[in-house]
Amino acid sequence: RKGNAQHLSVKDSLMMALSKATPDTLKVNLLLDIGDSYQFDDNDPEAAKAWYKKAGELSEQLRYHTGTFNYLFYYLDILVQQGQYDSSLWYSRQAIALARQLKDTARMMQGNFTAGVSYDGLEDYTSAIPVLLQAADYYESRQNGKSAGLCYNEMQLAYRHLAQYDNAIQYGKKAVDIYHQLHLSAQSVSPLSNLAGSYLAIYQPEKSLPLL
């Protein structure tokens, strides 16, 4: 997914291609790309959602499952950013159900992660933890440390809100360690600050300050 400084010319070319496109998978991808342009280049999430929805509707007509998954995950990504966690959870469940039907484990785990984020947003932390753990285990088994770290960071937050600080620290450390091993400094900022907060919650500023 992209961001492009020359978004006007890019969008114009996408619109021109769309005007000539027949209702097939190429048109679905054009609709998704136009939504991307509105989301990332214009910072217009509502317009992006409208284009994503068009892509989803056409994908359903074509039974184009890749298009349907992209629509669901792109759409719910905006919902999460907007704090509409009830809706993002609903879309996550739609993605999980379709992935289960198609025996698509990778997308099922992606749905688990977005469901976990949505549960965290809804303050339903006990529901967030098992789906996040399942996703983390899957990503670890596939040597996808970056995605596993995202899950562990979310789990840390869930456990901290449940006042289970030992577990929060355990998973916070796992996230930090993964990102350091992979030399992903930017990604480690969030788990580092969250881990610092977990130590502060148990009155251990001497461990929190170096992290900060």
Side-chain angles (χ1 to χ4, degrees), residues 130-169:
V131 292
L132 290 168
L133 181 58
Q134 189 179 13
D137 287 345
Y138 170 79
Y139 291 130
E140 287 268 32
S141 73
R142 298 303 170 100
Q143 286 79 52
N144 185 345
K146 186 175 179 180
S147 295
L150 287 171
C151 296
Y152 292 139
N153 188 39
E154 285 292 325
M155 290 174 66
Q156 171 182 201
L157 290 173
Y159 275 119
R160 194 169 82 201
H161 281 105
L162 292 170
Q164 297 183 29
Y165 300 115
D166 288 345
N167 286 329
I169 290 167

Side-chain angles (χ1 to χ4, degrees), residues 2-18:
K2 60 167 185 59
N4 194 305
Q6 297 178 334
H7 58 278
L8 289 176
S9 61
V10 168
K11 191 177 295 163
D12 286 344
S13 65
L14 289 170
M15 291 292 192
M16 190 176 300
L18 182 67

Side-chain angles (χ1 to χ4, degrees), residues 59-72:
S59 296
E60 284 295 308
Q61 293 172 21
L62 299 171
R63 298 186 62 78
Y64 176 39
H65 299 309
T66 297
T68 300
F69 279 121
N70 286 337
Y71 150 62
L72 290 170

Side-chain angles (χ1 to χ4, degrees), residues 69-89:
F69 279 121
N70 286 337
Y71 150 62
L72 290 170
F73 287 121
Y74 290 10
Y75 198 92
L76 73 85
D77 178 61
I78 295 178
L79 293 172
V80 168
Q81 293 177 34
Q82 294 177 326
Q84 298 183 36
Y85 299 114
D86 278 326
S87 297
S88 65
L89 180 58

Side-chain angles (χ1 to χ4, degrees), residues 39-58:
Q39 182 179 354
F40 295 106
D41 299 333
D42 293 350
N43 192 27
D44 188 345
E46 294 307 319
K49 283 159 69 175
W51 285 98
Y52 291 153
K53 187 162 281 190
K54 290 179 182 179
E57 290 168 353
L58 181 55

